């Protein structure tokens, strides 16, 4: 066996054909050719997963729960297809991270919606259940807070929402969002290359940038809530302070209270003689 033949034999490998999903055995060059098609397919799948996530949230905003569930199921099916692709490690990580974040965001929105707006109870799946990395899960959870903030603003645009309901919804959102932020903050000092879900440049693509977006959402609703409460306080009728002029008054430097000053009644003249004193006659 020549050196070339020996090397060609060593280059034999197994892979999954992205078009037929069949296990194949062959030369490494054939695998690279198949991987080229897998990379193109990964871009298409990631793009479609992103679209389905946003379409599901839009449907949910419009009250179309059935449509949102259908898109969520379709998104999960595409996720399974992308996970089965034979991709180089760094390429697989890039597509998995971005698509997983979109999935985590959708599941997070459904969970937070039930916490704030009520309705059917939803459970936030773990990263293990969703078959994604912890950084993707954390990023998706943070994005869910910002999307839920948008849902709340859309709700509050309705003129049929009472003042009491507006206050209640904002208070619920702030309370829940602060708890999520408190959970996320414990990862703030983790090494960025471990916790960041994106390798794209820019502060907003870092984990700290994600935390900043969550904090800003909370601030927006806090400011709106405080402004509403200030207006309510300003519109409230003023309460007159009770008069204390009849209360005992303490003399300066004394612990003994003096009785309040009660002026005498005015003298009313009934006749002119009553008003003018009699003239004295001189002898």
């Amino acid at each position: 066996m020549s050196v070339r033949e020996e090397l060609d034999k060593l280059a034999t490998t197994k892979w999954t054909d992205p078009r037929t999903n069949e296990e194949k055995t062959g030369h490494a060059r054939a695998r690279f050719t198949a991987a080229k098609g897998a990379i193109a397919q990964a871009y298409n799948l990631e793009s479609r997963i992103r679209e389905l996530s946003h379409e599901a949230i839009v449907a949910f905003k419009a009250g179309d729960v059935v449509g949102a569930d259908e898109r969520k199921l379709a998104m999960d099916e595409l996720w399974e297809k992308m996970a089965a692709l034979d991709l180089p490690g760094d390429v697989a990580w890039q597509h998995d991270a971005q698509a997983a974040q979109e999935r985590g965001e959708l599941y997070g929105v459904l969970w937070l919606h039930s916490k704030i707006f009520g309705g059917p109870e939803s459970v936030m799946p773990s990263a293990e259940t969703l078959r994604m990395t912890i950084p993707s899960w954390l990023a998706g959870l943070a994005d869910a807070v910002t999307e839920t903030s948008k849902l709340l603003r859309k709700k509050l645009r309705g003129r049929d929402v009472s003042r009491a309901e507006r206050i209640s919804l904002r208070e619920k959102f702030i309370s829940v969002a602060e708890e999520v932020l408190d959970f996320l903050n414990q990862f703030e000092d983790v090494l960025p290359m471990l916790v960041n879900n994106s390798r794209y440049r820019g502060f907003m693509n870092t984990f700290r940038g994600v935390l900043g977006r969550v904090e800003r959402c909370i601030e927006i609703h806090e400011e709106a809530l405080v402004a509403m409460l200030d207006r309510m306080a300003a519109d409230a009728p003023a309460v007159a302070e009770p008069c204390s002029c009849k209360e005992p008054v303490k003399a300066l430097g004394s612990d003994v209270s003096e009785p309040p000053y009660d002026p005498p009644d005015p003298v009313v003249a009934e006749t002119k003689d009553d008003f003018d004193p009699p003239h004295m006659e001189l002898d």
Side-chain angles (χ1 to χ4, degrees), residues 156-227:
L156 296 178
R157 284 167 56 189
R159 296 183 178 273
D160 58 336
V161 184
S162 67
R163 176 184 292 180
E165 187 177 2
R166 291 174 183 275
I167 293 175
S168 176
L169 287 173
R170 288 195 188 276
E171 287 179 338
K172 285 181 181 178
F173 173 82
I174 293 170
S175 176
V176 172
E178 284 181 337
E179 289 195 62
V180 174
L181 181 61
D182 183 56
F183 167 77
L184 295 173
N185 275 335
Q186 64 184 314
F187 302 99
E188 184 180 8
D189 59 350
V190 174
L191 195 64
M193 66 185 302
L194 296 177
V195 72
N196 288 351
N197 190 54
S198 176
R199 293 292 187 268
Y200 294 118
R201 293 183 177 180
F203 176 73
M204 298 308 291
N205 290 318
T206 65
F207 183 72
R208 289 187 175 182
V210 171
L211 294 181
R213 293 200 296 271
V214 175
E215 290 174 350
R216 182 55 188 149
C217 284
I218 296 174
E219 289 174 357
I220 289 173
H221 290 282
E222 280 183 331
E223 291 168 357
L225 179 60
V226 170

Side-chain angles (χ1 to χ4, degrees), residues 34-275:
K36 181 180 179 180
I39 291 174
Q41 191 171 353
Y43 276 103
N44 292 332
L45 290 173
E46 180 196 336
S47 177
R48 185 54 186 153
I49 288 173
R50 187 187 300 271
E51 291 173 356
L52 286 170
S53 176
H54 286 289
E55 289 175 7
I57 293 175
V58 170
F60 201 70
K61 286 180 181 178
D64 184 6
V65 179
V66 175
D69 287 339
E70 290 176 351
R71 288 167 173 81
K72 183 180 69 174
L73 292 175
M75 180 184 64
D76 288 341
E77 291 178 1
L78 295 182
W79 169 261
E80 296 294 337
K81 289 183 178 180
M82 191 171 71
L85 293 176
D86 182 33
L87 298 170
D90 57 337
V91 177
W93 180 91
Q94 174 186 345
H95 292 291
D96 287 352
Q98 299 300 321
Q101 182 172 338
E102 295 293 335
R103 290 181 68 228
E105 177 184 339
L106 176 57
Y107 278 95
V109 167
L110 300 178
W111 174 62
L112 291 174
H113 188 277
S114 67
K115 294 284 187 184
I116 297 170
F117 298 93
E121 185 176 357
S122 179
V123 177
M124 180 63 186
S126 66
E128 183 179 1
T129 300
L130 294 175
R131 293 171 51 188
M132 63 176 63
T133 65
I134 292 294
S136 297
W137 187 78
L138 293 174
L141 178 60
D143 283 348
V145 176
T146 62
E147 284 299 323
T148 305
S149 173
K150 296 176 184 178
L151 285 173
L152 176 56
R153 292 203 301 270
K154 181 176 177 61
K155 170 76 173 177
L156 296 178
R157 284 167 56 189
R159 296 183 178 273
D160 58 336
V161 184
S162 67
R163 176 184 292 180
E165 187 177 2
R166 291 174 183 275
I167 293 175
S168 176
L169 287 173
R170 288 195 188 276
E171 287 179 338
K172 285 181 181 178
F173 173 82
I174 293 170
S175 176
V176 172
E178 284 181 337
E179 289 195 62
V180 174
L181 181 61
D182 183 56
F183 167 77
L184 295 173
N185 275 335
Q186 64 184 314
F187 302 99
E188 184 180 8
D189 59 350
V190 174
L191 195 64
M193 66 185 302
L194 296 177
V195 72
N196 288 351
N197 190 54
S198 176
R199 293 292 187 268
Y200 294 118
R201 293 183 177 180
F203 176 73
M204 298 308 291
N205 290 318
T206 65
F207 183 72
R208 289 187 175 182
V210 171
L211 294 181
R213 293 200 296 271
V214 175
E215 290 174 350
R216 182 55 188 149
C217 284
I218 296 174
E219 289 174 357
I220 289 173
H221 290 282
E222 280 183 331
E223 291 168 357
L225 179 60
V226 170
M228 180 179 293
L229 295 177
D230 284 346
R231 287 195 298 270
M232 291 174 60
D235 294 340
V239 178
E241 293 291 334
C243 179
S244 60
C245 60
K246 293 295 183 178
E247 294 180 357
V249 180
K250 289 184 178 181
L252 185 63
S254 173
D255 293 334
V256 180
S257 297
E258 296 180 355
Y261 173 70
D262 191 7
D265 295 331
V267 177
V268 180
E270 296 181 357
T271 65
K272 183 175 183 297
D273 293 337
D274 292 333
F275 184 81

Side-chain angles (χ1 to χ4, degrees), residues 2-21:
S2 66
V3 173
R4 171 62 185 270
E5 291 173 341
E6 185 176 355
L7 292 175
D8 281 335
K9 185 178 180 180
L10 293 173
T12 301
T13 184
K14 294 180 180 180
W15 73 91
T16 302
D17 191 312
R19 292 167 296 181
T20 63
N21 204 30

